[in-house]
Amino acid sequence: MSGFAQNTFNGLVSGAFYALLALGLAVIFGMLRVVNFAHGAFYMLGAFGAYVLLSEAGVPFWAALVIMPVGLGLLGMALERAVIHRLTKLDPLYNFLLTFGLTLILQDLVKLRYGVQSSPYETPSLLSGSVNFGLFDFPTYRVFILGFAVLLCVAVWWVLTRTRIGMVVRASTERPDLTRAFGIDVGRWVTPVFGFGIGLAGLAGVLAAPMRAVNPLMGADLIIVVFAVVVIGGLGSIFGSVAAGFGIGLVQAWGEAYLSNFPLVSQTIVFVVMAGVLLWRPAGLFGREEAPA
Amino acid sequence: MTNTVDTPTDASRSTPPSGLIAVARAPGWVRYALLAVGLAVAAWLPNGLYPAVAVDILCWALFAVAVDLLLGFTGLMSFGHAAFWGTSAYVTGLVAIHAGLPFPLAVLAGALAAAVLAVPIGYLAVKRTGIYFAMVTLAFAQMVYYVANEWRSVTQGENGLQGVPRELFGLDLTDDYFFYYAILPIVLLGLAAAWRIVHSPFGRVLVGIRDNPARARALGYPVHRYKLTAFVLSGFIAGLGGGLFAVGHRFVSLDVLHWTTSGKAVIVVVLGGIGTLWGGVLGAALVVRLEDWLSFSGFEAIGLVTGGIFVLVVVLFRRGIWGSVAALAHRLAARRR
């Protein structure tokens, strides 16, 4: 039983990363119709930035947790203004390709400067050790990540459903044309929302730094799993992305634990789930059928 | 359709018809002249380049044409075609190593394996369109990557398959120069097959589906089945290229299945010109040559350059090289008329 709790907990923690990344992808897609391939690269930049800040400037984790998301969010806004903006009227495929190109560039820039070796990042002292929950001990840092991510998702949900900004974002996500017809300037929100999504990816990166190996390729494989997550949850659905993120984290952790004799299964279980969802509900668990082109 | 070629908005959609229409409308002698030039260049290539690079260009030309068959003529961007290129490379390598068959048969086995793999992946992927299709193919390709990575007893994991033989009835093909001419007919056959598919009634239906899926469905065409057939054919042609690539390098590494390989294939097509089979061949030649030149000059961050070129192409030059040339020629011809 304690093993099960352990695995469930670990699944939720890795699910938190999927959820944060998928959430950012979903709001960006909603506003801009851009599937941001570079999302994984920004996650990597978040982690790498935290590492560089600590090792070269002595900036602690807590400061990095603010600096990196804000900095990357601004960089994302600049990118949106500079290039992505030019392509938003075109087929989304071009944005996909553009952000793929950006991914290669960002990865190689980091690789040129820091090599492909993994860099260590120490857990902040406040969060080292473990927390005891009755029968089980959980690493404090992971408990923190889980709490933080859940809090963040709830906060985003609150903003989306209870504020005027959220109303605009949701309305433009579902029907940009109709929203515009109501006299709301959808274009005004595009850049900040893009920056926000990138900021979330950067934040996830900083959170990952003490836990995962920090290296230029850390976002590359993750982003593909996140794509599978959003296909499962339904890319149009913000709630679906988050729910599928946590769900896939759990499924993966359980697969790893109980099917450990089949390493293949634990690696590919996400894609097997995706295949099943495509058979059963092609639009994703929480998505709606896209309007015919 | 005829006068949309010149408007930038149309050329910037995912499926610009410009290249296809323009080339198809070129007078017969222009097409024959182009074909003759192309064949002459193909016959001369290993004399002007390192033969090993020329071999890579041939393989990548097949890969690009396979991707363009979907992207340009069916309106489906597969971002997971490395699955077929790589699967064929592995199967070809394994067959060549363990059965010692002549390499064309090993490559055929590889391409057939890729086509078989394309059936389930395509069946699931064509349930989605556009960007979702890209993500689904990408995800399944990553699954294939993991399988190859974990199935070490067969694929040798990260070490890769070493020593893929180049057997052809005892002919000495160790020299890349001769090997180039040995595979040239196979590649030309593959390209001709792609051309034949595109210009057949079947290909016309694909273009019809690309331009207006709802209309095609209303006309009674089983859209999913057409897309799936195109996907499997494309997987076969990509597999043909991947198998030859494996024999050409006498080595198969996990790279052949990596998602960057899928991405590179799409880059090559966009650079050459979506919807123009020639463009894919041209794009393959340029990208392979560029990468070889970069790695030869000791530059480590190849992705920086290819990624940069890619961003520029997508932002400024969406018609690609062949698409731009074809559109220009079309405009000149229209003015003369």
Side-chain angles (χ1 to χ4, degrees):
Chain A
M1 189 57 207
S2 104
F4 177 75
Q6 198 81 39
N7 295 323
T8 306
F9 173 73
N10 284 334
L12 288 174
V13 171
S14 50
F17 287 105
Y18 296 146
L20 285 180
L21 289 167
L23 176 61
L25 269 183
V27 291
I28 289 178
F29 180 78
M31 260 326 223
L32 291 85
R33 299 285 131 182
V34 168
V35 173
N36 180 27
F37 203 108
H39 221 63
F42 281 105
Y43 161 85
M44 177 272 288
L45 285 180
F48 234 96
Y51 162 75
V52 171
L53 282 176
L54 184 66
S55 63
E56 292 181 11
V59 177
F61 173 79
W62 298 104
L65 200 55
V66 177
I67 295 172
M68 285 322 295
V70 172
L72 288 175
L74 291 175
L75 176 67
M77 286 168 73
L79 263 177
E80 199 279 330
R81 281 284 100 189
V83 278
I84 292 169
H85 181 69
R86 296 155 177 264
L87 299 181
T88 38
K89 291 220 167 57
L90 308 179
D91 193 298
L93 294 175
Y94 282 110
N95 287 292
F96 193 71
L97 294 175
L98 176 78
T99 49
F100 173 76
L102 285 177
T103 304
L104 295 181
I105 294 174
L106 292 172
Q107 270 183 13
D108 267 26
L109 280 177
V110 175
K111 215 158 61 179
L112 265 183
R113 177 76 176 75
Y114 295 99
V116 286
Q117 296 296 320
S118 297
S119 312
Y121 190 93
E122 238 169 76
T123 312
S125 55
L126 191 65
L127 298 175
S128 52
S130 58
V131 183
N132 185 278
F133 286 98
L135 295 169
F136 332 107
D137 280 341
F138 293 129
T140 314
Y141 186 72
R142 293 183 174 223
V143 175
F144 163 74
I145 288 185
L146 189 53
F148 194 84
V150 169
L151 214 66
L152 212 63
C153 290
V154 170
V156 171
W157 170 82
W158 188 85
V159 169
L160 284 175
T161 52
R162 293 285 185 276
T163 67
R164 190 179 153 76
I165 301 174
M167 189 196 74
V168 173
V169 171
R170 275 188 306 143
S172 358
T173 304
E174 307 216 333
R175 288 293 298 272
D177 46 343
L178 211 59
T179 315
R180 224 170 269 124
F182 272 107
I184 293 166
D185 187 0
V186 173
R188 231 175 72 200
W189 296 100
V190 162
T191 312
V193 166
F194 190 78
F196 173 74
I198 299 294
L200 272 184
L203 184 77
V206 179
L207 289 175
M211 213 180 108
R212 305 247 170 99
V214 177
N215 68 62
L217 300 175
M218 65 187 288
D221 288 344
L222 187 67
I223 189 63
I224 316 248
V225 177
V226 173
F227 281 162
V229 165
V230 295
V231 170
I232 291 167
L235 184 50
S237 161
I238 290 167
F239 173 75
S241 306
V242 173
F246 280 107
I248 285 302
L250 281 177
V251 168
Q252 234 180 2
W254 287 335
E256 251 164 68
Y258 301 111
L259 301 166
S260 55
N261 296 335
F262 312 94
L264 242 178
V265 179
S266 60
Q267 294 271 1
T268 56
I269 201 160
V270 183
F271 307 113
V272 175
V273 172
M274 188 182 80
V277 169
L278 282 169
L279 278 176
W280 178 48
R281 279 183 72 102
L285 294 179
F286 301 93
R288 276 172 312 178
E289 202 53 59
E290 53 203 298
Chain B
M1 189 71 110
T2 32
N3 53 7
T4 54
V5 174
D6 293 325
T7 57
T9 45
D10 192 71
S12 46
R13 293 177 39 165
S14 74
T15 50
S18 51
L20 172 69
I21 305 291
V23 173
R25 283 174 161 231
W29 67 267
V30 173
R31 277 181 281 155
Y32 285 118
L34 283 173
L35 187 62
V37 171
L39 286 175
V41 170
W44 162 85
L45 200 60
N47 299 295
L49 286 177
Y50 288 109
V53 177
V55 166
D56 276 5
I57 289 175
L58 287 188
C59 301
W60 272 89
L62 278 178
F63 198 8
V65 164
V67 171
D68 198 23
L69 193 61
L70 290 174
L71 178 56
F73 296 93
T74 322
L76 295 171
M77 182 167 87
S78 168
F79 220 78
H81 249 47
F84 311 116
W85 164 265
T87 297
S88 173
Y90 272 105
V91 171
T92 301
L94 289 168
V95 167
I97 290 170
H98 297 299
L101 290 176
F103 83 83
L105 285 180
V107 170
L108 188 65
L112 284 174
V116 168
L117 177 68
V119 173
I121 293 184
Y123 176 77
L124 290 166
V126 298
K127 289 177 177 287
R128 303 311 315 259
T129 54
I131 202 70
Y132 295 89
F133 181 85
M135 288 197 285
V136 168
T137 48
L138 178 60
F140 282 127
Q142 191 66 3
M143 182 169 164
V144 176
Y145 176 84
Y146 282 132
V147 170
N149 191 18
E150 293 291 333
W151 202 0
R152 295 205 171 80
S153 56
V154 174
T155 63
Q156 313 296 325
E158 271 149 29
N159 294 327
L161 291 180
Q162 315 267 356
V164 177
R166 272 186 195 171
E167 168 57 35
L168 186 63
F169 307 117
L171 272 175
D172 181 21
L173 291 172
T174 44
D175 191 334
D176 287 327
Y177 184 84
F178 297 112
F179 182 65
Y180 176 92
Y181 290 105
I183 68 169
L184 186 57
I186 301 176
V187 173
L188 291 177
L189 218 61
L191 296 181
W195 191 90
R196 200 53 257 170
I197 292 167
V198 166
H199 291 89
S200 68
F202 171 76
R204 289 289 150 190
V205 176
L206 292 184
V207 173
I209 291 172
R210 177 196 76 184
D211 289 341
N212 193 337
R215 182 181 58 195
R217 200 171 294 120
L219 287 173
Y221 290 108
V223 168
H224 279 4
R225 207 181 305 158
Y226 270 89
K227 284 182 180 174
L228 177 59
T229 311
F231 195 81
V232 173
L233 288 171
S234 170
F236 181 83
I237 295 175
L240 218 50
L244 291 174
F245 189 78
V247 181
H249 285 246
R250 280 173 285 185
F251 169 73
V252 183
S253 77
L254 267 178
D255 275 355
V256 293
L257 285 167
H258 199 253
W259 57 263
T260 44
T261 302
S262 301
K264 193 171 131 189
V266 180
I267 297 181
V268 163
V269 172
V270 176
L271 176 65
I274 295 172
T276 69
L277 293 180
W278 282 89
V281 177
L282 201 64
L286 285 172
V287 170
V288 169
R289 181 77 185 88
L290 174 74
E291 287 198 336
D292 174 64
W293 180 72
L294 284 174
S295 61
F296 190 74
S297 60
F299 187 72
E300 277 168 34
I302 291 176
L304 194 63
V305 176
T306 48
I309 290 177
F310 200 28
V311 168
L312 287 178
V313 166
V314 174
V315 173
L316 303 171
F317 196 55
R318 278 182 290 275
R319 277 177 176 163
I321 296 168
W322 196 260
S324 300
V325 170
L328 187 70
H330 187 66
R331 195 179 310 167
L332 288 178
R335 189 171 301 166
R336 199 174 306 150
R337 229 174 276 144

